Amino acid sequence: MLVKTSSDGIKDLLSRYGDSLLADTRPGFGGYFIKTEQLVPFCRSLRDEAGYDYLSSVTGVDNFPEDQMEVVYHFYKTIGGPAFVLKVQASRHETVIPSLTPLYPGVEFQECEAWDLLGIRFEGHPDLRRILMWEGFEGFPLRKDWREPFFEDENKPFKSRWPDGHVLRTEEENPYKNNVQYPAAFDPDQWIPAGDAALYEGLLSLTKEGQSDFKTDHIVVNLGPQHPSTHGVFRMVVALEGETVLSLKPVMGYLHRNHEKIGERNTFVQNMPFTDRLDYISSMSNNFGYALAVEKLMDVHPPERAEYIRVIMAELTRFLSHIFSIGFLLNDLGAFFTPALYAIEERELILDIFEAASGSRMMCNYFRFGGVVRDLPDGVLGKIKDLVIDRLPRKLDEFERYLTKNDIVRVRCEGVGVLKIEEAIGLSAAGPVLRASGVPYDVRKADPYSIYDRFDFDVAYGLHGDIYDRYLVRVEEMRQSLRILKQALRDIPGGAVMNGKPQYQVRVPAGEAYGRVEGPKGELGFYVISNGKPNPWRYHVRAPSFINLTSLSTMAKNQKIADVVALLGSIDIVLGEVDR
Amino acid sequence: MDEELNNPKYEIPPEIQHQVAITTVDKIYNWSRRNSLWPMMFGLACCAVEMIGAAASRYDFSRFGMEVMRASPRQADVMIVSGTVTKKMIPTIVRLYNQMGEPKYVVAMGVCASSGGPFKEGYSVVPGVDRFIPVDVYIPGCPPTPQALLYGLMALQEKIDQQSIQTVRWYKKGDSSPIPIPVLGPDLMDPRDFDLIKRRAQENLQMEEQVSPTNIEEADSHVG
Ligand code: SF4
């Protein structure tokens, strides 16, 4: 909802709720604590009166050994500006917090995630299920006192793997086969897997709404997790009437790789290569987000040249990711693999540049806190210039010539899977999905980071919120990326690419930081809490692909089953980021 | 037909040389199989993107017989396990493997599929797909470059060259039972290990009974 606000709207609120609010005064922390009972009314005022209509991220924090669980909310205004941070606390034993789904439907999956991994129960949530692990799994893995089967030590770096002249492997430390744990006196023969009963029930309850007297049978169809159209191990369960989708539920977690649990054991620098593996198409922008978050904590700033290199890499990544996703969108529309082959051709050229800069094609691990790991080798800037000035615009024109006015593409895409503007904001959609619905919200403009305020570029947005507009927004964004690249290549100065000496073990002062970038898929945020030790205490990723999926069922409602596949392609998910 | 294949130990009369070829059954069988290895279109994680890269124009593995990727396991010869195998996914992978028709091969692409890789220590990752299904070729790398994947697939072809229909698994008697599908319990359970699990659970119980009240907290936190 776009509400006109005065700048002191928030001040009003703060004084009105003064009794139940408490500023977070721990050094390095910010925001406000609110009493649990007041959470929902306060958030309603926050949205309707103060204009914080976009709830970007929900993070659970375990304050073990204190008996305290915390949920941190980051609110933004879609007209731009900094965050409003709100926190609630509850006991670790009976962790119940009111759900914000009635106000911000976009938190649905994020709350499920917090329940799944931290055991925070959200009261009033319509469908609180395990979302990344499976129903029946024992324990809440992100709690600090939960230890995984391959547990070695609390923190990294571990002790020497080469103690007395021979290698020590984790398997030798933990010899049990597959090394899994079961509750005491557990009998596997008596075990009945929970299966999908709860899921199907939730699905069919949705179909009952607004049904006419005319009764027909509804068919439940599973697409995935092994399905050529799902872009990886993703599963959709749809209830169909004929060919029309009555309701849809995404099922994920098939690629849940414990990113956050591992991240909280790693040292700060060790997390950098793990961020590559989040959205594995665009590793450079993942690096960017994480580097920003930790740099905020450390209060370091990269030298000029490094800033430019970062922007160049991030924009090349955006181009690569968008062209890849358009190629695969066409795949989903039935133009099997030819457009994707065209896209991959350009991707290879960009990967060559990444490989020259970082040494790896896909998993670049190129950014460091306070700069980038090494300067560009000779000749790479020239190659980038050739690409940016000549080849990529030409290829983009070619792409557009084949696709943009193509009748089949338009018939399949126009008016399909519409997400209205207020739905998109409420569902916390981000990136091209949000912008195609008519919200010109781009973190590069709304809350500029790095040196984006120096460049001249426009925010692409659509008006209809359908698949076709998402396609157009991506194409336009590629053009804008090229525009930024041209300016960056023109202005890039010489000099160092790293402040100070590269360090293996950085010192990060205690505090919290939320670093966010406009990744190709949307707003990618990293919420990091440091307690002054070598490892982050909490490390949470606001994954745009994951949160964008919240809107999938809204878009898919009353569409044809064949279009659902294209819809998923238009959201452009990457499973590494969805499941983390 | 290439020279190597046409390797008769018999003398062919000059008038029908170049028209008749003599070879062994093994050779012709292996030759035709190794040159049409159809991979299953099955991507798990980041490695899958490099697999697609290997299928695309720059590397193009169809030059070596991996002609078409097939989405159905029934039509595929080789399963490229391209990515991290999670506990939630492994039942599906085993089921897919069981559905593939013999002869079938498995390539573990990347360190994740081979051993768990960077995510090995995680609670929901299977440390290597070979804990459940037999793997023919392991390809190291994170992700392996397309060249490495091609090399791995060629290694598989060499392996096929060595096979003899007298000894291959799928012509033997009584060796065709499918792999039991793992069960998602409180943690992942392999049906072949149920006895072991029971024993462990009993041990846990006894341990819990033995610990004195002061130790209970510690044991609790360990079980989670
Ligand atoms: S081996 Fe590396 S690239 Fe491949 S799936 Fe695992 S993490 Fe991803």
Side-chain angles (χ1 to χ4, degrees), chain B residues 171-206:
Chain B
Y171 286 136
K172 282 207 194 130
K173 277 204 187 100
D175 195 22
S176 64
S177 53
I179 294 174
I181 294 179
V183 183
L184 295 176
D187 210 320
L188 188 70
M189 303 190 290
D190 189 337
R192 292 171 292 195
D193 290 344
F194 272 10
D195 286 342
L196 194 60
I197 294 172
K198 260 185 245 175
R199 225 175 320 126
R200 285 271 301 198
Q202 278 306 324
E203 279 167 24
N204 275 352
L205 185 69
Q206 279 160 15

mmCIF file of all heavy atoms in Angstrom, chain B residues 171-206:
data_model
loop_
_atom_site.group_PDB
_atom_site.id
_atom_site.type_symbol
_atom_site.label_atom_id
_atom_site.label_comp_id
_atom_site.label_asym_id
_atom_site.label_seq_id
_atom_site.Cartn_x
_atom_site.Cartn_y
_atom_site.Cartn_z
ATOM 1 N N TYR B 171 23.525 -59.510 -16.492
ATOM 2 C CA TYR B 171 23.255 -60.818 -17.092
ATOM 3 C C TYR B 171 23.440 -61.925 -16.087
ATOM 4 O O TYR B 171 23.307 -63.089 -16.413
ATOM 5 C CB TYR B 171 24.142 -61.054 -18.312
ATOM 6 C CG TYR B 171 23.704 -60.251 -19.503
ATOM 7 C CD1 TYR B 171 24.610 -59.574 -20.297
ATOM 8 C CD2 TYR B 171 22.351 -60.187 -19.822
ATOM 9 C CE1 TYR B 171 24.198 -58.822 -21.381
ATOM 10 C CE2 TYR B 171 21.930 -59.430 -20.901
ATOM 11 C CZ TYR B 171 22.853 -58.750 -21.672
ATOM 12 O OH TYR B 171 22.430 -58.014 -22.728
ATOM 13 N N LYS B 172 23.752 -61.556 -14.868
ATOM 14 C CA LYS B 172 23.909 -62.596 -13.846
ATOM 15 C C LYS B 172 22.542 -62.981 -13.302
ATOM 16 O O LYS B 172 21.591 -62.215 -13.344
ATOM 17 C CB LYS B 172 24.776 -62.047 -12.710
ATOM 18 C CG LYS B 172 26.236 -62.039 -13.035
ATOM 19 C CD LYS B 172 27.014 -62.133 -11.746
ATOM 20 C CE LYS B 172 28.461 -61.789 -12.005
ATOM 21 N NZ LYS B 172 28.932 -60.792 -11.062
ATOM 22 N N LYS B 173 22.521 -64.187 -12.736
ATOM 23 C CA LYS B 173 21.247 -64.645 -12.175
ATOM 24 C C LYS B 173 21.032 -64.030 -10.790
ATOM 25 O O LYS B 173 21.965 -63.879 -10.020
ATOM 26 C CB LYS B 173 21.280 -66.158 -12.038
ATOM 27 C CG LYS B 173 20.937 -66.868 -13.320
ATOM 28 C CD LYS B 173 20.409 -68.271 -13.015
ATOM 29 C CE LYS B 173 20.221 -69.051 -14.301
ATOM 30 N NZ LYS B 173 21.329 -69.980 -14.567
ATOM 31 N N GLY B 174 19.787 -63.699 -10.508
ATOM 32 C CA GLY B 174 19.395 -63.360 -9.139
ATOM 33 C C GLY B 174 20.092 -62.169 -8.519
ATOM 34 O O GLY B 174 20.249 -62.108 -7.319
ATOM 35 N N ASP B 175 20.514 -61.256 -9.322
ATOM 36 C CA ASP B 175 21.204 -60.110 -8.738
ATOM 37 C C ASP B 175 20.514 -58.818 -9.137
ATOM 38 O O ASP B 175 21.144 -57.830 -9.417
ATOM 39 C CB ASP B 175 22.659 -60.108 -9.191
ATOM 40 C CG ASP B 175 23.485 -59.166 -8.347
ATOM 41 O OD1 ASP B 175 23.069 -58.852 -7.221
ATOM 42 O OD2 ASP B 175 24.531 -58.729 -8.828
ATOM 43 N N SER B 176 19.207 -58.861 -9.180
ATOM 44 C CA SER B 176 18.545 -57.681 -9.732
ATOM 45 C C SER B 176 17.620 -57.007 -8.732
ATOM 46 O O SER B 176 16.766 -56.242 -9.127
ATOM 47 C CB SER B 176 17.761 -58.072 -10.974
ATOM 48 O OG SER B 176 16.747 -58.972 -10.599
ATOM 49 N N SER B 177 17.800 -57.312 -7.453
ATOM 50 C CA SER B 177 16.884 -56.686 -6.504
ATOM 51 C C SER B 177 17.187 -55.194 -6.422
ATOM 52 O O SER B 177 18.344 -54.784 -6.419
ATOM 53 C CB SER B 177 17.033 -57.325 -5.135
ATOM 54 O OG SER B 177 18.385 -57.299 -4.758
ATOM 55 N N PRO B 178 16.141 -54.380 -6.378
ATOM 56 C CA PRO B 178 16.366 -52.937 -6.314
ATOM 57 C C PRO B 178 16.978 -52.528 -4.976
ATOM 58 O O PRO B 178 16.902 -53.265 -3.999
ATOM 59 C CB PRO B 178 14.964 -52.356 -6.466
ATOM 60 C CG PRO B 178 14.039 -53.436 -6.063
ATOM 61 C CD PRO B 178 14.722 -54.733 -6.383
ATOM 62 N N ILE B 179 17.551 -51.367 -4.971
ATOM 63 C CA ILE B 179 18.128 -50.849 -3.743
ATOM 64 C C ILE B 179 17.003 -50.362 -2.834
ATOM 65 O O ILE B 179 16.130 -49.626 -3.291
ATOM 66 C CB ILE B 179 19.091 -49.704 -4.071
ATOM 67 C CG1 ILE B 179 20.279 -50.266 -4.839
ATOM 68 C CG2 ILE B 179 19.550 -48.985 -2.815
ATOM 69 C CD1 ILE B 179 21.225 -49.249 -5.333
ATOM 70 N N PRO B 180 17.000 -50.796 -1.573
ATOM 71 C CA PRO B 180 15.906 -50.348 -0.696
ATOM 72 C C PRO B 180 15.899 -48.827 -0.544
ATOM 73 O O PRO B 180 16.951 -48.199 -0.427
ATOM 74 C CB PRO B 180 16.201 -51.034 0.634
ATOM 75 C CG PRO B 180 17.548 -51.609 0.521
ATOM 76 C CD PRO B 180 17.933 -51.688 -0.909
ATOM 77 N N ILE B 181 14.723 -48.284 -0.558
ATOM 78 C CA ILE B 181 14.601 -46.818 -0.534
ATOM 79 C C ILE B 181 14.724 -46.306 0.896
ATOM 80 O O ILE B 181 14.030 -46.785 1.787
ATOM 81 C CB ILE B 181 13.277 -46.406 -1.167
ATOM 82 C CG1 ILE B 181 13.341 -46.791 -2.648
ATOM 83 C CG2 ILE B 181 13.024 -44.912 -1.000
ATOM 84 C CD1 ILE B 181 12.164 -46.505 -3.437
ATOM 85 N N PRO B 182 15.611 -45.364 1.136
ATOM 86 C CA PRO B 182 15.798 -44.838 2.487
ATOM 87 C C PRO B 182 14.519 -44.195 3.022
ATOM 88 O O PRO B 182 13.681 -43.730 2.246
ATOM 89 C CB PRO B 182 16.891 -43.790 2.318
ATOM 90 C CG PRO B 182 17.495 -44.033 1.007
ATOM 91 C CD PRO B 182 16.505 -44.738 0.173
ATOM 92 N N VAL B 183 14.398 -44.188 4.313
ATOM 93 C CA VAL B 183 13.195 -43.669 4.960
ATOM 94 C C VAL B 183 13.552 -42.412 5.728
ATOM 95 O O VAL B 183 14.606 -42.334 6.357
ATOM 96 C CB VAL B 183 12.634 -44.718 5.943
ATOM 97 C CG1 VAL B 183 11.339 -44.226 6.560
ATOM 98 C CG2 VAL B 183 12.428 -46.041 5.250
ATOM 99 N N LEU B 184 12.676 -41.408 5.659
ATOM 100 C CA LEU B 184 12.901 -40.184 6.409
ATOM 101 C C LEU B 184 12.277 -40.327 7.788
ATOM 102 O O LEU B 184 11.077 -40.205 7.957
ATOM 103 C CB LEU B 184 12.284 -38.990 5.683
ATOM 104 C CG LEU B 184 12.909 -38.661 4.339
ATOM 105 C CD1 LEU B 184 12.159 -37.531 3.673
ATOM 106 C CD2 LEU B 184 14.362 -38.265 4.513
ATOM 107 N N GLY B 185 13.102 -40.629 8.757
ATOM 108 C CA GLY B 185 12.617 -40.766 10.130
ATOM 109 C C GLY B 185 13.017 -39.551 10.928
ATOM 110 O O GLY B 185 13.076 -38.457 10.394
ATOM 111 N N PRO B 186 13.362 -39.745 12.204
ATOM 112 C CA PRO B 186 13.909 -38.637 12.981
ATOM 113 C C PRO B 186 15.204 -38.145 12.341
ATOM 114 O O PRO B 186 15.619 -37.015 12.529
ATOM 115 C CB PRO B 186 14.177 -39.247 14.344
ATOM 116 C CG PRO B 186 13.405 -40.500 14.384
ATOM 117 C CD PRO B 186 13.218 -40.974 12.990
ATOM 118 N N ASP B 187 15.847 -39.039 11.631
ATOM 119 C CA ASP B 187 16.964 -38.680 10.771
ATOM 120 C C ASP B 187 16.878 -39.669 9.625
ATOM 121 O O ASP B 187 15.973 -40.485 9.578
ATOM 122 C CB ASP B 187 18.285 -38.796 11.539
ATOM 123 C CG ASP B 187 19.301 -37.798 10.995
ATOM 124 O OD1 ASP B 187 19.332 -37.644 9.773
ATOM 125 O OD2 ASP B 187 20.025 -37.201 11.787
ATOM 126 N N LEU B 188 17.790 -39.611 8.687
ATOM 127 C CA LEU B 188 17.681 -40.516 7.547
ATOM 128 C C LEU B 188 17.929 -41.961 7.993
ATOM 129 O O LEU B 188 18.834 -42.223 8.774
ATOM 130 C CB LEU B 188 18.715 -40.115 6.508
ATOM 131 C CG LEU B 188 18.592 -40.846 5.186
ATOM 132 C CD1 LEU B 188 17.352 -40.394 4.461
ATOM 133 C CD2 LEU B 188 19.808 -40.603 4.333
ATOM 134 N N MET B 189 17.121 -42.890 7.458
ATOM 135 C CA MET B 189 17.302 -44.284 7.834
ATOM 136 C C MET B 189 17.429 -45.152 6.595
ATOM 137 O O MET B 189 16.589 -45.093 5.696
ATOM 138 C CB MET B 189 16.106 -44.759 8.663
ATOM 139 C CG MET B 189 15.864 -43.930 9.902
ATOM 140 S SD MET B 189 14.667 -44.671 10.991
ATOM 141 C CE MET B 189 13.157 -44.473 10.078
ATOM 142 N N ASP B 190 18.454 -45.959 6.567
ATOM 143 C CA ASP B 190 18.634 -46.926 5.492
ATOM 144 C C ASP B 190 17.994 -48.230 5.957
ATOM 145 O O ASP B 190 18.389 -48.767 6.986
ATOM 146 C CB ASP B 190 20.136 -47.100 5.239
ATOM 147 C CG ASP B 190 20.393 -47.925 3.998
ATOM 148 O OD1 ASP B 190 19.490 -48.699 3.613
ATOM 149 O OD2 ASP B 190 21.484 -47.803 3.423
ATOM 150 N N PRO B 191 17.032 -48.757 5.212
ATOM 151 C CA PRO B 191 16.369 -49.985 5.665
ATOM 152 C C PRO B 191 17.354 -51.118 5.922
ATOM 153 O O PRO B 191 17.090 -52.008 6.731
ATOM 154 C CB PRO B 191 15.433 -50.329 4.517
ATOM 155 C CG PRO B 191 15.219 -49.053 3.802
ATOM 156 C CD PRO B 191 16.453 -48.240 3.982
ATOM 157 N N ARG B 192 18.500 -51.096 5.268
ATOM 158 C CA ARG B 192 19.466 -52.167 5.477
ATOM 159 C C ARG B 192 20.113 -52.059 6.858
ATOM 160 O O ARG B 192 20.768 -52.983 7.313
ATOM 161 C CB ARG B 192 20.542 -52.113 4.397
ATOM 162 C CG ARG B 192 19.991 -52.455 3.029
ATOM 163 C CD ARG B 192 20.993 -52.194 1.932
ATOM 164 N NE ARG B 192 21.259 -50.756 1.757
ATOM 165 C CZ ARG B 192 21.871 -50.226 0.699
ATOM 166 N NH1 ARG B 192 22.287 -51.007 -0.269
ATOM 167 N NH2 ARG B 192 22.073 -48.939 0.604
ATOM 168 N N ASP B 193 19.941 -50.909 7.493
ATOM 169 C CA ASP B 193 20.615 -50.680 8.773
ATOM 170 C C ASP B 193 19.681 -50.711 9.962
ATOM 171 O O ASP B 193 20.060 -50.301 11.055
ATOM 172 C CB ASP B 193 21.289 -49.300 8.757
ATOM 173 C CG ASP B 193 22.467 -49.272 7.838
ATOM 174 O OD1 ASP B 193 22.929 -50.362 7.476
ATOM 175 O OD2 ASP B 193 22.907 -48.177 7.478
ATOM 176 N N PHE B 194 18.463 -51.157 9.770
ATOM 177 C CA PHE B 194 17.494 -51.040 10.861
ATOM 178 C C PHE B 194 17.990 -51.705 12.145
ATOM 179 O O PHE B 194 17.795 -51.191 13.242
ATOM 180 C CB PHE B 194 16.144 -51.624 10.435
ATOM 181 C CG PHE B 194 15.264 -50.626 9.748
ATOM 182 C CD1 PHE B 194 15.764 -49.385 9.377
ATOM 183 C CD2 PHE B 194 13.928 -50.895 9.478
ATOM 184 C CE1 PHE B 194 14.977 -48.442 8.738
ATOM 185 C CE2 PHE B 194 13.120 -49.964 8.843
ATOM 186 C CZ PHE B 194 13.644 -48.747 8.476
ATOM 187 N N ASP B 195 18.645 -52.859 11.995
ATOM 188 C CA ASP B 195 19.123 -53.548 13.202
ATOM 189 C C ASP B 195 20.114 -52.682 13.954
ATOM 190 O O ASP B 195 20.066 -52.556 15.180
ATOM 191 C CB ASP B 195 19.778 -54.873 12.819
ATOM 192 C CG ASP B 195 18.721 -55.882 12.416
ATOM 193 O OD1 ASP B 195 17.541 -55.639 12.773
ATOM 194 O OD2 ASP B 195 19.061 -56.857 11.726
ATOM 195 N N LEU B 196 20.989 -52.106 13.193
ATOM 196 C CA LEU B 196 22.015 -51.251 13.795
ATOM 197 C C LEU B 196 21.368 -50.068 14.505
ATOM 198 O O LEU B 196 21.740 -49.709 15.626
ATOM 199 C CB LEU B 196 22.927 -50.758 12.677
ATOM 200 C CG LEU B 196 24.250 -50.128 13.072
ATOM 201 C CD1 LEU B 196 25.090 -51.131 13.835
ATOM 202 C CD2 LEU B 196 24.980 -49.673 11.826
ATOM 203 N N ILE B 197 20.371 -49.489 13.850
ATOM 204 C CA ILE B 197 19.696 -48.329 14.447
ATOM 205 C C ILE B 197 19.049 -48.728 15.760
ATOM 206 O O ILE B 197 19.146 -48.023 16.763
ATOM 207 C CB ILE B 197 18.632 -47.775 13.478
ATOM 208 C CG1 ILE B 197 19.308 -47.216 12.228
ATOM 209 C CG2 ILE B 197 17.803 -46.695 14.141
ATOM 210 C CD1 ILE B 197 18.356 -46.832 11.139
ATOM 211 N N LYS B 198 18.407 -49.894 15.739
ATOM 212 C CA LYS B 198 17.745 -50.357 16.954
ATOM 213 C C LYS B 198 18.759 -50.505 18.076
ATOM 214 O O LYS B 198 18.521 -50.096 19.210
ATOM 215 C CB LYS B 198 17.065 -51.706 16.693
ATOM 216 C CG LYS B 198 15.581 -51.559 16.438
ATOM 217 C CD LYS B 198 14.929 -52.912 16.302
ATOM 218 C CE LYS B 198 14.401 -53.060 14.891
ATOM 219 N NZ LYS B 198 13.849 -54.366 14.586
ATOM 220 N N ARG B 199 19.898 -51.105 17.723
ATOM 221 C CA ARG B 199 20.909 -51.326 18.749
ATOM 222 C C ARG B 199 21.391 -49.980 19.313
ATOM 223 O O ARG B 199 21.503 -49.810 20.519
ATOM 224 C CB ARG B 199 22.083 -52.103 18.151
ATOM 225 C CG ARG B 199 22.533 -53.219 19.068
ATOM 226 C CD ARG B 199 23.621 -54.076 18.453
ATOM 227 N NE ARG B 199 23.469 -54.364 17.047
ATOM 228 C CZ ARG B 199 24.409 -54.123 16.138
ATOM 229 N NH1 ARG B 199 25.552 -53.574 16.504
ATOM 230 N NH2 ARG B 199 24.242 -54.459 14.880
ATOM 231 N N ARG B 200 21.603 -49.054 18.411
ATOM 232 C CA ARG B 200 22.088 -47.737 18.860
ATOM 233 C C ARG B 200 21.070 -47.056 19.759
ATOM 234 O O ARG B 200 21.407 -46.455 20.773
ATOM 235 C CB ARG B 200 22.349 -46.838 17.651
ATOM 236 C CG ARG B 200 23.584 -47.191 16.906
ATOM 237 C CD ARG B 200 24.768 -46.475 17.467
ATOM 238 N NE ARG B 200 24.571 -45.030 17.411
ATOM 239 C CZ ARG B 200 25.549 -44.140 17.500
ATOM 240 N NH1 ARG B 200 26.784 -44.562 17.639
ATOM 241 N NH2 ARG B 200 25.291 -42.866 17.451
ATOM 242 N N ALA B 201 19.809 -47.164 19.377
ATOM 243 C CA ALA B 201 18.768 -46.512 20.164
ATOM 244 C C ALA B 201 18.696 -47.132 21.558
ATOM 245 O O ALA B 201 18.498 -46.436 22.548
ATOM 246 C CB ALA B 201 17.430 -46.631 19.449
ATOM 247 N N GLN B 202 18.877 -48.472 21.608
ATOM 248 C CA GLN B 202 18.899 -49.145 22.908
ATOM 249 C C GLN B 202 20.067 -48.642 23.752
ATOM 250 O O GLN B 202 19.929 -48.366 24.940
ATOM 251 C CB GLN B 202 18.999 -50.662 22.725
ATOM 252 C CG GLN B 202 17.668 -51.336 22.447
ATOM 253 C CD GLN B 202 16.625 -51.017 23.504
ATOM 254 O OE1 GLN B 202 16.949 -50.899 24.672
ATOM 255 N NE2 GLN B 202 15.378 -50.838 23.089
ATOM 256 N N GLU B 203 21.211 -48.538 23.098
ATOM 257 C CA GLU B 203 22.390 -48.054 23.820
ATOM 258 C C GLU B 203 22.143 -46.655 24.386
ATOM 259 O O GLU B 203 22.468 -46.373 25.529
ATOM 260 C CB GLU B 203 23.599 -48.000 22.881
ATOM 261 C CG GLU B 203 24.280 -49.334 22.690
ATOM 262 C CD GLU B 203 25.251 -49.274 21.518
ATOM 263 O OE1 GLU B 203 25.722 -48.169 21.171
ATOM 264 O OE2 GLU B 203 25.520 -50.343 20.952
ATOM 265 N N ASN B 204 21.538 -45.832 23.565
ATOM 266 C CA ASN B 204 21.216 -44.474 24.016
ATOM 267 C C ASN B 204 20.354 -44.506 25.257
ATOM 268 O O ASN B 204 20.571 -43.767 26.209
ATOM 269 C CB ASN B 204 20.454 -43.718 22.927
ATOM 270 C CG ASN B 204 21.388 -43.088 21.939
ATOM 271 O OD1 ASN B 204 22.592 -43.093 22.153
ATOM 272 N ND2 ASN B 204 20.844 -42.578 20.854
ATOM 273 N N LEU B 205 19.363 -45.408 25.221
ATOM 274 C CA LEU B 205 18.436 -45.517 26.342
ATOM 275 C C LEU B 205 19.198 -45.899 27.597
ATOM 276 O O LEU B 205 19.035 -45.302 28.660
ATOM 277 C CB LEU B 205 17.367 -46.549 26.013
ATOM 278 C CG LEU B 205 16.255 -46.685 27.035
ATOM 279 C CD1 LEU B 205 15.393 -45.436 27.022
ATOM 280 C CD2 LEU B 205 15.391 -47.897 26.750
ATOM 281 N N GLN B 206 20.054 -46.945 27.442
ATOM 282 C CA GLN B 206 20.810 -47.393 28.607
ATOM 283 C C GLN B 206 21.702 -46.276 29.132
ATOM 284 O O GLN B 206 21.799 -46.050 30.333
ATOM 285 C CB GLN B 206 21.657 -48.604 28.242
ATOM 286 C CG GLN B 206 20.851 -49.883 28.262
ATOM 287 C CD GLN B 206 21.517 -50.975 27.445
ATOM 288 O OE1 GLN B 206 22.697 -50.859 27.104
ATOM 289 N NE2 GLN B 206 20.772 -52.019 27.137
#
